[in-house]
Amino acid sequence: MASEAYERYGVNLWAGISHISSPGLRKWLAAFGVRHFETQEPSDLEYDPQLRVVAEWRDPATLKKDRFDNAVTEVMLEGAEKGDEIGYSWYLLPLARIVKAYSILLNQFAKAGPIPEGMSATTALRTQDYMEKHKALEERLTVKAEEYRKTHGYEPPYWELVKLAREAKKEK
């Protein structure tokens, strides 16, 4: 945690704890194994009066990718609120359990396995499903954003990216 590094110097970040209350997001997080919905969220640092921006790193390509990622995530979370599920292919579960057993064996020798310690085979498959859906939607958004850029002569602002991501999701 970032807060741990600051505590050594007497700075206690995240004085308030955030509460995740969105039913759709809570359902998705629960599907990934989350059981506690009180957390320290990185965005809370923006509002911490103890901190000031002293420098800002800027890489246009990375920032563009981040905006696309955020737009896709926002649209997927809207779907969660409307009942979209994160699932997995049930027929892959026996194989995932074998991979999990292999991961546990590797952990015994202080090595990381393909499925992280503390993650179940089912959660690993759900994670894979989420990542595949996210990637597919981001690819469709990329095409739409390029069309927007060609039509308008400039990169779409964030709110347009979200609109385009919604359209891309409907087209799937």
Side-chain angles (χ1 to χ4, degrees), residues 20 25-39 118-120 123 126:
I20 299 171
L25 178 56
R26 286 175 70 105
K27 185 176 179 181
W28 273 19
L29 290 173
F32 289 114
V34 175
R35 299 290 171 254
H36 304 283
F37 299 99
E38 294 80 32
T39 185
M119 180 183 281
S120 70
T123 300
R126 284 191 176 109

Side-chain angles (χ1 to χ4, degrees), residues 105-124:
L105 179 65
L106 287 176
N107 293 158
Q108 299 300 315
F109 297 100
K111 298 193 183 276
I115 298 178
E117 192 171 354
M119 180 183 281
S120 70
T122 305
T123 300

Side-chain angles (χ1 to χ4, degrees), residues 80-104:
E81 292 307 311
K82 295 175 183 172
D84 290 356
E85 299 281 336
I86 295 294
Y88 62 92
S89 301
W90 61 268
Y91 55 86
L92 292 176
L93 190 53
L95 178 60
R97 287 183 173 145
I98 291 169
V99 173
K100 178 61 184 178
Y102 173 67
S103 296
I104 291 170

